[in-house]
Amino acid sequence: MSKEHGYTSLIRWTGNRGEGTRSYRSYDRTWEIRTPGKPPVLCSNDPLLGGNPALHNPEDLLLSALASCHMLWYLHLASDAGIAVMAYEDAPEATGETEPSGAGRFLRAVLKPVITVPKGTDLAKADAIHHEIHKVCFIARSVNFPVSFEATYLEAGEIRPD
């Protein structure tokens, strides 16, 4: 039997310049995310839509949540499989589209983890773990666009190619 989990968040708009939304250009697309007991996350709209490029936007947050969930499950499943992960870094990429009406959506995402393991690790076994993650990852199971991965493996002490 499945078990439900509850999550909470407070989203507070901070972009009122004094006139509220009197006109389309009279307000900022900024807000903060507050989760009990955690520091606030300052956010803005996508820069393509007039947002502040120095702040996180919903698209950044979704892609980061997807990659983070994948990483956490990878670490868990690698540990269960007897694979010691020494370092893990991901630079995921996503492609979105905007329709003439302004409606947008993600089309796809590619996770690109660089995973450092001890010399002699069975890399085929390490790579196979990725195929299991989307069966269990909360975020990956919740999105409606394809998510693929292109993992790179380094042996401990090896210099990362750029």
Side-chain angles (χ1 to χ4, degrees), residues 46-161:
D46 186 306
L48 293 173
L49 302 169
N52 182 340
L55 300 178
H56 299 287
N57 63 55
E59 296 80 7
D60 295 336
L61 296 170
L62 178 60
L63 183 58
S64 296
L66 179 64
S68 297
C69 188
H70 187 94
M71 177 193 68
L72 292 169
W73 271 105
Y74 187 88
L75 298 173
H76 174 87
L77 296 175
S79 177
D80 285 352
I83 295 171
V85 174
M86 310 307 289
Y88 186 112
E89 183 176 300
D90 196 350
E93 297 176 0
T95 302
E97 73 173 355
T98 304
E99 297 176 359
S101 68
R105 67 181 179 140
F106 277 101
L107 297 174
R108 65 190 151 278
V110 181
L111 307 181
K112 298 183 172 197
V114 176
I115 302 165
T116 304
V117 294
K119 193 173 192 119
T121 297
D122 182 341
L123 298 183
K125 184 177 176 183
D127 201 56
I129 292 170
H130 292 285
H131 297 286
E132 300 303 312
I133 293 172
H134 288 176
K135 296 176 185 174
V136 291
C137 172
F138 201 95
I139 307 300
R141 290 175 42 97
S142 300
V143 299
N144 68 350
F145 53 87
V147 178
S148 60
F149 67 91
E150 298 171 1
T152 301
Y153 299 91
L154 300 176
E155 292 185 335
E158 187 178 357
I159 304 279
R160 179 180 175 172

